[in-house]
Amino acid sequence: MALIHHTTLSPTKVELLASWLPTRPWYHGPAAPELVKAGGFRLDDPAGEVGIEFMIVTAGTAGPEAYLVPLTYRGAPLPGAEHALIGTMEHGVLGTRWAYDGCHDPVLTAGLLALIEGRAEAQAQSITDTPDREVARSCAGAGPVPGPGAPVDTDEATEFAAPDGGPVLRLRRVLTAGSTAPDDAVGEVTGAWQQPDGTRARGLFATLEKR
């Protein structure tokens, strides 16, 4: 169970993302966004070492897009993941934390597959040991899904092709209100977020799709 500390962060997560997000191929907003946290959820690391968060941000009133940003927080650098480092933060309780694009962190990808399969439960972002009931998942497959391959960014998503020819894990980076899984999906995660106009939206976060 991840313990949520209500303390200071310097810089904040949103401040880190404001400079990193415009460098991503799936980001379509302004070059200097004023990001607003719009939702998200957490997953527990079974080992209790890595913070796992799926954060949703919008670029304020500059556009309708909402972006899903999976993040991991570590107490030491992740070997071989220098390319995925978003930045470091000073945590008021835990000290220096290394923040990574979670698509390149095996702890997060394992947690996402566990969520799709029903072996893990989405947790509220800011409350300890509290399930997030807005996050829903389903999986039609039998048995564990093989671990995903290396992530590849597109202009809308991050995709992980299974090395053995299994289903493709596709994480939506640009969220669309009302979106649903394609017909060839064998697993999915959906959730909700706050739109810039104040309304609540719901759509697709991730899918497992047949090749």
Side-chain angles (χ1 to χ4, degrees), residues 41-207:
F41 64 95
R42 287 179 174 266
L43 293 176
D44 284 336
D45 170 19
E49 296 293 329
V50 179
I52 306 172
E53 181 175 14
F54 289 76
M55 182 181 288
I56 300 170
V57 295
T58 60
T61 58
E65 288 89 0
Y67 299 96
L68 178 60
V69 185
L71 299 164
T72 55
Y73 312 109
R74 290 175 168 266
L78 174 62
E82 294 82 4
H83 63 290
L85 180 66
I86 296 175
T88 58
M89 305 176 292
E90 291 303 316
H91 190 284
V93 175
L94 301 175
T96 303
R97 303 291 284 173
W98 280 258
Y100 288 93
D101 177 355
C103 287
H104 297 266
D105 193 320
V107 173
L108 183 141
T109 53
L112 178 57
L113 287 177
L115 173 64
I116 293 173
E117 293 179 312
R119 297 182 287 109
E121 188 174 32
Q123 299 292 313
Q125 274 183 309
S126 304
I127 309 173
T128 299
D129 196 24
T130 301
D132 187 332
R133 301 300 184 192
E134 287 193 306
V135 177
R137 44 72 50 192
S138 67
C139 187
V145 177
V152 176
D153 286 336
T154 72
D155 61 355
E156 297 287 337
T158 299
E159 300 178 355
F160 307 77
D164 63 353
V168 173
L169 174 62
R170 180 172 288 113
L171 186 84
R172 266 60 182 181
R173 295 295 204 152
V174 182
L175 301 180
T176 303
S179 55
T180 58
D183 291 342
D184 61 352
V186 295
E188 65 178 70
V189 177
T190 60
W193 65 95
Q194 194 82 3
Q195 298 190 106
D197 63 4
T199 59
R200 198 76 174 156
R202 183 171 188 85
L204 196 62
F205 286 176
T207 53

